[in-house]
Amino acid sequence: MSTTPHILLIDDEPGSREGLKLLLTREGYQVTAVESGEKALTLFDTTTFDVVITDLFLPGVSGIDILKRVRQMALPANVILITGNASAETAVEAMKEGAFDYITKPINFEKLKILVAKAVEKGQLVAENLFLRQQLRGKYKFDNIIGNSPAIQPVFTRMEKILHTDSTVLILGESGTGKELVARAIHYNGSRKDKPFVAINCGAIPGELLESELFGHMRGAFTGAVNDKPGKFETANLGTIFLDEIGSMPMHLQMKLLRVLQEQEIERVGSTRRTKLDVRVISATNADLDQQISQGQFREDLFYRLNVIPIPLPPLRERIEDIPLLAKHFLRKICDEMRRPVLDITPTALRAMECYAWPGNVREMENVIERAIALTDGEIIDRHDLPPQISDTFIAQGHLPTPRIPEQGLDLAETIARIEKNLISQAMDRSSSVKAQAATLLKINRTTLVEKMKRYGMQ
């Protein structure tokens, strides 16, 4: 695809049209010149233009008609109007309708060159911004929250239900479970997706600075406040603010946050003026807020304001079935980032990962996969490529993960079947696929082993 800016020139005067086309072509632009608005309209269905230069007064379809048609496009071109001095007032009115600028006759080509260059630059910035937003939406779409386990399905269900509401959300989960990923997915799949998403970690900023970061300050409000500064809430206006580690917020700020949630307005530090806001609030914590409330460390009334829609995220040890999916997802993602062929991972390595408790959850798994990719010399990641705390535990104890019963319960028969299949697979690995030896390891007869393998589709 050509990167040369494409200009559509519409002028019913042949001399002016051809002259401008020649001059703009010499400036390095691709120029399509037509003599009527009707012909221009037919081109819009098949051709994308960066800039449209049109005479304001054309017979039939006018320059205003062209402007209105361009403004309806998904990625509108910037429109420059050509007009006589007597109709400059009309051109100014047209700019209110979305025209980029206008130039009067007789045309000063140096001025037109500057206008075109600015119009092209603005169009490129808008296109880049749109591309980045599309990338963000792709990055944070639900498909990138990986999992098919019964433990993760309620998370997807609840997210789907609240996408197009403005309800306050509280995401609960251990460190590394993906709380910010869920918050971003809610924002970028919801009605505010084209507005700002602003994240702040309340636990990473000292209490004396957090108030200014959240609500902004006025010049001279405190030592070092040399300029007025908007806070995160103002920056997130019309969009979403994500308050991570909300449980670490000091008590005096909890009261101010409660007032913001109740009144939907903020007051900068050092100011008496209140500013109305329209912000969706999503917060997250790995703390036990109920316990903090009982200990007087967290306001109960604030908790009820934040906990309108709770989304509990299960730890990785409660969604063992998702470990192979997550591992292969991170293999693809990290290999792409490292610009190397996608590596494979052995069943033994996956079983070792299933036996590990993952105290750092999904974030820890991503780090483990990245380390393995970086250090392996081959094309396959095996158990010995994993950190010692994963591989050694698997070898020393040979234990299988002990499933924990999630809140919604589990399918006992399915869980037992998965464990049995895992044991058979281990036995076959250790016996080099000799069924008689595998049956001896499992203390069952060979016929029983063969029947079970058939049942699980392992032959």
Side-chain angles (χ1 to χ4, degrees):
M1 187 173 70
S2 173
T3 57
T4 303
H6 194 175
I7 296 173
L8 174 62
L9 174 63
I10 312 165
D11 194 334
D12 59 337
E13 296 180 11
S16 173
R17 182 175 65 250
E18 293 306 316
L20 286 175
K21 179 180 180 181
L22 178 62
L23 290 169
L24 289 167
T25 302
R26 286 177 178 172
E27 290 297 316
Y29 298 114
Q30 178 185 353
V31 183
T32 298
V34 296
E35 70 276 12
S36 69
E38 287 81 1
K39 284 195 175 180
L41 292 178
T42 63
L43 293 173
F44 290 142
D45 293 329
T46 57
T47 310
T48 300
F49 298 98
D50 299 280
V51 179
V52 174
I53 303 173
T54 179
D55 200 324
L56 183 58
F57 296 105
L58 294 167
V61 176
S62 70
I64 295 295
D65 296 328
I66 295 294
L67 173 61
K68 289 178 179 178
R69 174 67 178 85
V70 170
R71 298 302 298 167
Q72 293 171 358
M73 296 177 180
L75 186 59
N78 285 307
V79 178
I80 298 173
L81 299 169
I82 302 173
T83 182
N85 280 312
S87 56
E89 186 177 337
T90 307
V92 171
E93 289 299 315
M95 287 182 63
K96 294 178 182 178
E97 296 294 324
F100 178 75
D101 212 329
Y102 72 95
I103 189 167
T104 58
K105 298 178 181 179
I107 294 173
N108 180 325
F109 187 69
E110 290 301 315
K111 182 178 178 182
L112 180 62
K113 276 200 310 184
I114 294 171
L115 283 181
V116 171
K118 287 181 177 179
V120 168
E121 182 180 15
K122 181 184 176 185
Q124 289 172 342
L125 288 172
V126 170
E128 287 171 9
N129 188 47
L130 179 63
F131 174 75
L132 289 173
R133 287 188 180 277
Q134 289 170 340
Q135 292 290 93
L136 282 171
R137 289 177 204 163
K139 185 176 181 181
Y140 297 111
K141 65 182 186 294
F142 283 8
D143 292 350
N144 283 319
I145 303 175
I146 307 298
N148 289 322
S149 65
I152 198 67
Q153 289 308 307
V155 175
F156 294 131
T157 301
R158 186 156 295 188
M159 289 171 69
E160 289 281 2
K161 287 180 178 179
I162 65 172
L163 283 183
H164 299 290
T165 72
D166 286 328
S167 299
T168 305
V169 178
L170 177 61
I171 305 171
L172 305 159
E174 297 177 6
S175 293
T177 48
K179 296 187 288 294
E180 183 168 345
L181 184 64
V182 169
R184 288 182 180 272
I186 291 171
H187 172 79
Y188 285 109
N189 288 276
S191 56
R192 295 177 182 256
K193 60 182 177 290
D194 293 320
K195 303 303 180 183
F197 177 92
V198 178
I200 182 169
N201 188 326
C202 299
I205 300 172
E208 61 272 17
L209 299 178
L210 184 57
E211 182 175 7
S212 171
E213 285 295 315
L214 286 171
F215 309 119
H217 63 252
M218 302 302 291
R219 178 182 177 185
F222 51 83
T223 303
V226 295
N227 293 302
D228 294 351
K229 179 186 174 184
K232 300 295 186 185
F233 269 90
E234 285 182 80
T235 305
N237 195 28
L238 302 181
T240 302
I241 188 167
F242 175 57
L243 305 174
D244 200 5
E245 300 309 339
I246 190 70
S248 63
M249 179 177 284
M251 288 292 286
H252 73 283
L253 289 186
Q254 291 180 31
M255 182 63 218
K256 191 160 186 177
L257 175 60
L258 177 63
R259 191 161 55 246
V260 169
L261 294 176
Q262 289 172 337
E263 300 173 9
Q264 284 292 296
E265 59 184 23
I266 61 100
E267 188 178 295
R268 290 186 185 181
V269 178
S271 173
T272 57
R273 186 173 67 88
R274 295 185 176 183
T275 303
K276 277 288 183 184
L277 295 176
D278 175 13
V279 179
R280 183 177 197 173
V281 177
I282 301 177
S283 53
T285 184
N286 61 9
D288 184 339
L289 293 185
D290 286 325
Q291 182 180 16
Q292 287 189 237
I293 290 169
S294 66
Q295 293 173 350
Q297 297 172 346
F298 201 85
R299 294 183 63 98
E300 188 171 18
D301 47 5
L302 176 59
F303 172 73
Y304 290 134
R305 279 282 178 180
L306 296 174
N307 196 40
V308 176
I309 307 289
I311 300 182
L313 296 187
L316 190 51
R317 62 182 175 275
E318 291 182 6
R319 40 186 295 222
I320 297 165
E321 305 94 322
D322 293 333
I323 286 176
L325 284 174
L326 284 162
K328 290 172 183 179
H329 166 74
F330 288 134
L331 278 170
R332 288 191 299 271
K333 173 178 175 285
I334 296 166
C335 285
D336 285 347
E337 289 172 355
M338 292 183 176
R339 297 183 179 179
R340 61 180 295 177
V342 178
L343 304 185
D344 203 353
I345 187 167
T346 66
T348 304
L350 287 174
R351 285 198 301 276
M353 294 173 75
E354 289 173 346
C355 290
Y356 182 58
W358 297 105
N361 291 293
V362 178
R363 185 187 298 129
E364 182 185 4
M365 175 185 273
E366 183 172 9
N367 292 341
V368 163
I369 295 292
E370 183 174 356
R371 172 189 183 275
I373 292 170
L375 297 180
T376 186
D377 294 323
E379 297 179 356
I380 298 176
I381 292 174
D382 203 352
R383 178 186 53 76
H384 58 75
D385 295 309
L386 302 175
Q389 69 267 27
I390 298 176
S391 59
D392 290 355
T393 301
F394 180 70
I395 288 297
Q397 300 180 16
H399 71 277
L400 288 164
T402 302
R404 295 174 182 263
I405 300 177
E407 289 184 8
Q408 70 273 18
L410 56 73
D411 186 321
L412 181 62
E414 180 186 325
T415 303
I416 291 172
R418 176 172 52 80
I419 293 172
E420 187 173 56
K421 182 179 177 181
N422 194 315
L423 284 168
I424 291 170
S425 182
Q426 285 189 65
M428 291 294 287
D429 277 355
R430 288 177 62 178
S431 64
S432 300
S433 297
V434 177
K435 292 186 178 68
Q437 293 181 20
T440 300
L441 285 171
L442 295 170
K443 294 182 172 51
I444 59 176
N445 62 48
R446 186 181 184 281
T447 304
T448 302
L449 175 64
V450 170
E451 289 175 354
K452 288 180 180 294
M453 291 181 70
K454 285 181 180 177
R455 184 190 313 158
Y456 296 130
M458 300 175 71
Q459 286 185 318

